[in-house]
Amino acid sequence: MDALYHQTNKQVHEVQLHMGRLETSDKQSVHLVENEVQARIDQIFSNLERLEILSSKEPPSKRQNAKLRVDQLKYDVQHLQTALRNFQHRRYNREQQEREREELLTRTYTTNDSDTTIPIDETLQFNTSLHNAHRGMDELLGSGSSILDGLRDQRRTLKGTQKKILDVANMLGLSNTVMRLIEKRAFQDKCIMIGGMLLTFVVMYLVVRYLT
């Protein structure tokens, strides 16, 4: 089990490095990097399934610690999966905006007398701004939903991990100071989740107020 654990942990760090490459990749290579990152994440999930089986077969004295290590890896890879989905969602919306802007710039409007191109009037500009505002709202809602889903998954993982740590603490007699640190970390994660939700709502309100 140790060999597979260290291999999987190394793969998690490699995925983190590849996530950094996504932000600097050009349009031609970003899809290849995304596919490579997703393939590595899928491999990590496959390893985690094997590790869960192996951890359940560990001796009782090592079983709890083995499960904790596997849960930590699961937490890390779920966070990476959420980050990849958010990046893909932003890239898709950015490319869609670029295509629509290109179509708008290359489109010509002529009169019945076949005159030269006429300028876009104020109504078209207003409709374009309104459409962009709606698209921005859809992007914010999608990103917010993905972030909240990731936070909920992480919170559930942390709850399970905290319970297992408490079980281990009862077995090994950890100090009260360590227990308080664990509870403080859980409270901080809850505050971060609530703060993220409030920030998302504020940004959505500002978009609706100033772009429509």
Side-chain angles (χ1 to χ4, degrees):
M1 175 181 173
D2 287 340
L4 182 59
Y5 169 81
H6 291 300
Q7 176 187 347
T8 306
N9 189 44
K10 180 181 178 181
Q11 290 173 335
V12 169
H13 290 295
E14 291 174 349
V15 171
Q16 291 172 342
L17 294 176
H18 279 75
M19 289 295 297
R21 288 177 51 196
L22 283 174
E23 299 295 342
T24 58
S25 299
D26 53 32
K27 294 181 179 179
Q28 288 72 28
S29 61
V30 65
H31 296 284
L32 297 177
V33 178
E34 285 181 358
N35 292 336
E36 183 177 356
V37 170
Q38 185 60 62
R40 290 174 179 268
I41 290 176
D42 292 340
Q43 180 61 50
I44 293 172
F45 276 121
S46 178
N47 288 352
L48 286 173
E49 291 179 358
R50 294 171 56 194
L51 283 171
E52 287 181 336
I53 296 174
L54 293 174
S55 64
S56 65
K57 297 180 179 179
E58 286 285 302
S61 60
K62 298 181 179 180
R63 189 175 303 159
Q64 288 292 342
N65 184 52
K67 289 184 177 180
L68 285 175
R69 293 197 302 170
V70 173
D71 285 342
Q72 181 60 49
L73 286 178
K74 187 183 297 183
Y75 172 87
D76 292 339
V77 74
Q78 286 175 345
H79 179 74
L80 291 172
Q81 181 69 82
T82 299
L84 176 60
R85 288 174 180 169
N86 289 339
F87 175 84
Q88 291 173 324
H89 184 77
R90 293 195 305 271
R91 177 185 57 76
Y92 172 80
N93 283 282
R94 184 169 59 251
E95 292 177 353
Q96 182 70 18
Q97 291 175 2
E98 291 176 356
R99 286 194 297 268
E100 292 178 356
R101 183 166 56 250
E102 185 67 23
E103 291 175 359
L104 188 62
L105 292 174
T106 57
R107 187 181 303 166
T108 57
Y109 301 87
T110 58
T111 64
N112 292 332
D113 296 331
S114 300
D115 290 332
T116 57
T117 302
I118 64 173
I120 300 174
D121 57 19
E122 294 181 358
T123 302
L124 179 58
Q125 292 178 349
F126 175 78
N127 290 335
T128 301
S129 298
L130 186 61
H131 180 66
N132 289 336
H134 289 165
R135 187 170 57 249
M137 284 295 298
D138 291 338
E139 179 178 354
L140 283 172
L141 287 173
S143 298
S145 177
S146 298
I147 293 172
L148 291 177
D149 288 341
L151 288 172
R152 280 194 292 266
D153 291 339
Q154 294 169 12
R155 179 171 174 77
R156 285 194 295 266
T157 301
L158 282 173
K159 281 186 175 180
T161 303
Q162 182 182 11
K163 184 178 182 299
K164 292 177 180 179
I165 290 175
L166 291 173
D167 293 337
V168 174
N170 292 330
M171 293 175 55
L172 303 180
L174 291 179
S175 67
N176 292 331
T177 301
V178 175
M179 300 306 300
R180 285 195 295 270
L181 289 175
I182 294 171
E183 293 175 354
K184 181 179 179 182
R185 173 61 186 273
F187 176 76
Q188 290 174 345
D189 289 336
K190 182 178 180 181
C191 292
I192 291 173
M193 182 183 73
I194 295 174
M197 294 172 63
L198 292 176
L199 179 61
T200 300
F201 287 131
V202 169
V203 174
M204 290 168 58
Y205 172 77
L206 292 176
V207 170
V208 173
R209 180 176 179 85
Y210 293 106
L211 296 185
T212 58

